[in-house]
Amino acid sequence: MSVPSQLLFPLIRHCDLGRICRSVCYCHHKHLCCLPSLHLPHPFVHGSGKKFASTFHHPKDQCIQMRKYVTTPQRFYLTPPQVNSILKANEYSFKVPEFDGKNISSILGFDSNQLPANAPIEDRRSAATCLQTRGMLLGVFDGHAGCACAQAVSERLFYYIAVSLLPQETLLEIENAVESGRALLPILQWHKHPNDYFSKEASKLYFNSLRTYWQELIDLNTGETADVKEALVNAFKRLDNDLSLEAQVGDPNSFLNYWVLRVAFSGATACVAHVDGVDLHVANTGDSRALLGVQEEDGSWTAVTMSNDHNAQNESEIRRIKSKHPKEEKSVVKQDRLLGLLMPFRAFGDVKFKWSIDLQKRVVESGPDQLNDNEYTKFIPPNYHTPPYLTAKPEVIHHRLRPKDKFLILATDGLWETMHRQEVVKIVGEYLTGVHHQQPIAVGGYKVTLGQMQGLLMERRARISSAFEDQNAATHLIRHAVGNNEFGAVDHERLSKMLSLPEELARMYRDDITIIIVQFNSHVIGACQNQEQ
C-alpha cells in the first residue's frame, strides 16, 4: 500500500539522509560509557567538560589527541559577517496568518534556530498546526548515542499526539478513506526549515504503525475525546512502544532494518508544547526545558518554569527510580547517572535500559553486521537486574495563559548549561520589546580599571544599539549563549573562537543548542479572559 501523501506530507528532505545514516555515531555526553576522555586547557572551557570519560579509548590515542590539539593554538578568527552566517544558517520564523486584518490566534508566531556542536547535530525541532483540532504543537528533541532516535521522534510524535486528540468520527473517516483508497484529511501543517527533513524511506513503516494506533483507538470507542494531558501521555508512551516493537520485528529491507535498530538503540529526550487558545500544555521527557517569559507591571521580566528536569538534580525523580527498583537503591543511580551511565532518567529509545539482556543479545546477534560490530550495542550496563529502568512517559504541566505571559522558550540542555533561566528571559524580553532595563554593572571579584569600566559601558551602549541586528529571537539568544563574557556582554572574539573550533573539538566546549521562542498575542488572550469572566 502506498503511503497517502496528504497524511505524511512533507515526507522528505532526502539528500541529507545519507549524510545522517552513513555512519553510526554513538558519542554524546549523556552516555558516560562511550565518551572520549579529553580535557583541554582553554579560557572558555565549557562547564560540562567534567562529564567526559571512556572505557573504549586507548590511552595512546588520547595522548595523540592531546598532542594534536593542545600544541596547536586556535589562531583563526571569524569576521562578524562570517559569525552571522554561521549563527543564521538554521534560523526559521513563522508568523500566524491574519484573517480579515485580524490575528485571532493566541500565538503571534515563533522563531527557532539550531547551532550544532556534534557532527551531525543530534538535536531536532518540530512545529506544526493541528488541522483537524485546534492548537499548535512545538517541540525540541535532544538525541544521544547518535541522532537516529531524535530524528524519528521529531517526525512521528506530533502525528501520534494529533491522532490522540481526534474524535471518533474523524478517526473513522480517516480509516474509511484508507480502506477505499480515497484522499485523506490532512492532520498537520508542518512549519519546517529546509534543513529539517523527513525520512522518505521509512514513511510506509511509520504510517502502518500510526494506522494501527488509530485503529485501536477506534476499537476502544470510549465515546469521549481524550483531554490534552491524557492525549500527550498516551502519544509519548505509544510512540516509544512502537519504536521498540519495530526494532524487535525488524524489516526485510536491509536499510530499514538497520535504521529501526539505530533508532531504538540510540535515545532522545523531548519537550513539547501544545497551545490552544489560552491553554498551554507542556509535556516533557528528559532534561530539555520550557520557560515562560512574564512581563510584570513595572516592565521587568520574570521566568516561570514550565517543565522539570528528569535527572539526578530532581530529588523526586531519584525517589521515583529507587521506588521502582527497591533492592537496587545503591546501584540504580550512581555518579548522578542512571546505572552510572545515562544522565536523563526519562527518554525515548535507549532500549539498552529497557529490554532484557536476552532480548538485547538476540536482536543484536540477528541484526546487520554494522550493528553487531558496534561496541555500544554489545555493551550491557552494570548492575542490570530489573529492567526497564527507563520510561518515555512525560510529565505534563498545564497553564492558563494571561496577558502578561509574553513568550514561551523551548530549548535543549545546550542552552541551559550556559545560561541561567532569568538571564534567558531578560535577554529575550528586551529583544522582543526593545526596552532595556539597565542594571548596575557587576564586576564580581574582578579588578576593573577606569579604562576597563569605560569599555564595559561602551559595550553596553553598542549592545543596545545593535539589539535588532538579529531578525530572529532564537538567533539573538544563541549569540548570547555562546558569546557572553563574564560581564554579560557579547564578546566577538569569544564568539569567533567558539564558532571556529574544529568539529572534533567543538563538542568538548558546548553541546548542540536548539531553541524555539513562541510569542503570544496578549490582546487575544485578554479578550478570551474577558469572555470567560
Side-chain angles (χ1 to χ4, degrees), residues 339-472:
L339 297 180
L341 298 175
L342 190 65
M343 286 186 68
F345 289 175
R346 305 190 194 194
F348 285 92
D350 280 320
V351 294
K352 295 196 67 59
F353 297 85
K354 297 174 182 176
W355 290 356
S356 68
I357 293 177
D358 288 342
L359 178 58
Q360 290 186 42
K361 289 181 177 179
R362 187 163 66 249
V363 170
V364 171
E365 289 172 0
S366 62
D369 293 338
Q370 302 99 310
L371 190 78
N372 192 42
D373 292 341
N374 185 272
E375 290 288 344
Y376 173 68
T377 57
K378 293 190 292 185
F379 176 76
I380 301 298
N383 302 304
Y384 197 80
H385 306 299
T386 57
Y389 292 90
L390 196 63
T391 179
K393 181 181 178 180
E395 185 176 8
V396 181
I397 294 177
H398 173 246
H399 176 77
R400 296 280 288 180
L401 291 172
R402 307 157 296 178
K404 65 178 183 178
D405 299 328
K406 300 301 182 182
F407 56 88
L408 176 74
I409 301 173
L410 303 172
T412 55
D413 64 348
L415 174 68
W416 311 113
E417 288 172 354
T418 63
M419 301 184 75
H420 187 271
R421 61 178 187 168
Q422 187 60 43
E423 182 185 10
V424 167
V425 164
K426 183 174 182 290
I427 288 171
V428 174
E430 292 182 350
Y431 169 85
L432 293 175
T433 62
V435 178
H436 298 260
H437 289 265
Q438 301 290 16
Q439 301 293 331
I441 290 181
V443 295
Y446 295 96
K447 294 181 179 180
V448 180
T449 66
L450 288 177
Q452 290 172 323
M453 180 62 72
Q454 182 183 16
L456 291 173
L457 291 170
M458 294 294 289
E459 284 183 10
R460 168 182 279 186
R461 178 181 297 178
R463 187 163 73 252
I464 295 172
S465 64
S466 65
F468 294 98
E469 284 184 359
D470 292 317
Q471 301 301 310
N472 182 297

Side-chain angles (χ1 to χ4, degrees), residues 6 11 70 84 111 131 145 220 222 238 240 295 377 404 415 451 455 463 478 517:
Q6 299 96 329
L11 291 177
V70 173
N84 287 338
D111 291 339
L131 296 177
L220 287 174
T222 60
R238 179 53 183 250
D240 190 56
Q295 189 170 32
T377 57
K404 65 178 183 178
L415 174 68
R463 187 163 73 252
I478 289 176
I517 299 175

Side-chain angles (χ1 to χ4, degrees), residues 96-107 277 521 524-525 528:
V96 174
E98 296 181 349
F99 298 94
D100 295 328
K102 295 181 179 180
N103 189 327
I104 59 174
S105 172
S106 59
I107 294 179
N521 190 330
V524 170
I525 294 171
C528 290

Side-chain angles (χ1 to χ4, degrees), residues 67-137:
R67 185 164 60 248
K68 176 181 178 182
Y69 292 123
V70 173
T71 61
T72 307
Q74 183 70 33
R75 297 178 186 225
F76 177 67
Y77 295 102
L78 303 173
T79 64
Q82 289 173 323
V83 166
N84 287 338
S85 178
I86 294 172
L87 291 178
K88 297 173 183 289
N90 297 307
E91 68 179 9
Y92 178 83
S93 295
F94 174 77
K95 302 301 178 187
V96 174
E98 296 181 349
F99 298 94
D100 295 328
K102 295 181 179 180
N103 189 327
I104 59 174
S105 172
S106 59
I107 294 179
L108 288 172
F110 69 87
D111 291 339
S112 73
N113 202 351
Q114 293 184 295
L115 182 66
N118 293 289
I121 185 172
E122 295 182 341
D123 282 3
R124 294 293 185 271
R125 58 182 167 176
S126 292
T129 299
C130 299
L131 296 177
Q132 303 306 319
T133 59
R134 300 190 310 170
M136 180 177 285
L137 288 163

Side-chain angles (χ1 to χ4, degrees), residues 305-317:
T305 301
M306 289 297 300
S307 66
N308 297 310
D309 292 352
H310 300 133
N311 55 28
Q313 277 60 59
N314 185 336
E315 290 293 334
S316 65
E317 275 296 286

Side-chain angles (χ1 to χ4, degrees), residues 183-199:
L184 295 182
L185 291 171
I187 294 179
L188 298 173
Q189 177 190 353
W190 290 94
H191 311 299
K192 303 190 82 66
H193 186 279
N195 289 342
D196 298 335
Y197 38 76
F198 277 70
S199 305

